[in-house]
Amino acid sequence: MAGRMVRSCVQTALKAVNSVVGLAGMAVILYALWMLRAWYREADGLHQRLPVPWFIYTFLGLGIFLCLLTCSGHIAAETANGHCLSCYMIIVFVLIILEGAITADVFLNINWEEDFPPDPSDKFNEFKDFVRSNFEICEWVGLSVVAAQVLSIVLGMVLRTLGPDREADYDSDDDANVPARLPLLRNQSQHGPDYAEPNTSRRNDSWKLRILDKVRVVSGVN
C-alpha cells in the first residue's frame, strides 16, 4: 500500500514537471506562428518570392518537438514502463546537452553569430534584441525549463526503480477469474449430496437390464 502511494506521488510529480516543458513548447509554437504570419504578410506586400526563413521554421520545429516530448513523458509516467522511461530520459538528457552546448557557445565565443546562417526574415536579430532587453526574465524562464528537464530525469529514474504497479494487475486478474468460478460453486450448492448425474442413472439402468436378461436366459435353460 505504501509503495503504491509513493509510486502515485512520483507519477504525479513527473507529469507536473513535464507539463512545464510542454507549456514552453506551446509558447515557442505560438511565437513561431506569429513570426511566420508576419513573414508571409511581408512577402505578400513585396510581391516576390523570398528565401526560406530558417530561424522561424527552427523555432516551430523546436516547439513541436517539446510538445511531443511532453506527450511521451506523460505516457511513460502513466504506464511506468521501464523502456518508455529510459527512452524519455535519454532524449531529455541529449536535449540538455544541446542546450548547454549552445549556451556555452554564445557566452564563450565572441563571434558566435557567424556559426548561424544569415536569416532573411531578420527575425533572428529581433529575437536577440528582445532577449537583451529582457535578459533577467529570459534567464529565469530558461533556468526554469532546464530545472524541469533535470527533475524529469531524476523522477523518471525513481519511477523506473519502483517499476509498474503489479499489485493492481494481480487484483484485476483475480477479479476477472471470480465470475468464471461462481457457476461451479452455484451448481455445487444447488445440488444435494444425493444428486446423481443423468448419465450415471442411465448406466445403472442398462446394467440392471443386462443382469435381468442373463437371469431369464439361465432360468429358461433350467
Side-chain angles (χ1 to χ4, degrees):
M1 189 65 181
R4 186 178 298 179
M5 292 179 61
V6 173
R7 185 182 295 103
S8 179
C9 293
V10 174
Q11 287 176 332
T12 304
L14 180 57
K15 291 178 182 179
V17 171
N18 198 34
S19 298
V20 176
V21 181
L23 291 175
M26 293 176 63
V28 171
I29 290 176
L30 292 176
Y31 181 64
L33 291 176
W34 176 79
M35 290 190 298
L36 192 62
R37 181 182 179 185
W39 166 251
Y40 279 117
R41 184 179 298 175
E42 182 180 354
D44 293 338
L46 295 176
H47 299 287
Q48 60 181 358
R49 186 174 182 179
L50 299 177
V52 178
W54 67 268
F55 177 72
I56 299 177
Y57 286 112
T58 302
F59 244 60
L60 183 61
L62 178 61
I64 295 173
F65 174 75
L66 290 177
C67 290
L68 293 177
L69 183 62
T70 302
C71 293
S72 63
H74 273 71
I75 294 173
E78 182 66 26
T79 59
N81 184 272
H83 298 289
C84 294
L85 289 171
S86 298
C87 294
Y88 171 72
M89 290 186 293
I90 290 172
I91 294 173
V92 175
F93 180 75
V94 172
L95 182 61
I96 293 175
I97 294 298
L98 291 176
E99 292 171 352
I102 294 174
T103 304
D105 183 48
V106 171
F107 282 99
L108 299 179
N109 187 8
I110 300 176
N111 300 322
W112 63 272
E113 297 181 6
E114 298 179 357
D115 297 335
F116 298 92
D119 181 29
S121 64
D122 202 35
K123 298 297 181 183
F124 185 48
N125 294 326
E126 293 180 4
F127 179 73
K128 288 189 299 182
D129 295 336
F130 175 78
V131 172
R132 288 170 181 171
S133 59
N134 303 277
F135 183 76
E136 293 184 359
I137 298 176
C138 294
E139 183 181 6
W140 280 109
V141 171
L143 290 176
S144 300
V145 174
V146 174
Q149 293 172 351
V150 174
L151 282 176
S152 63
I153 293 177
V154 175
L155 292 173
M157 293 175 64
V158 174
L159 186 59
R160 188 177 185 277
T161 303
L162 294 175
D165 191 1
R166 302 184 183 276
E167 296 179 0
D169 296 338
Y170 294 153
D171 294 341
S172 62
D173 293 340
D174 294 338
D175 295 338
N177 292 332
V178 167
R181 298 170 186 159
L182 287 178
L184 296 176
L185 296 175
R186 290 175 182 173
N187 291 335
Q188 293 177 0
S189 62
Q190 290 175 359
H191 303 310
D194 298 334
Y195 175 77
E197 295 292 336
N199 293 332
T200 306
S201 61
R202 291 178 183 176
R203 291 175 182 175
N204 293 333
D205 294 339
S206 61
W207 182 76
K208 291 178 181 179
L209 291 174
R210 290 178 183 176
I211 296 296
L212 291 174
D213 290 338
K214 291 181 179 180
V215 170
R216 290 173 184 174
V217 171
V218 172
S219 61
V221 171
N222 293 332

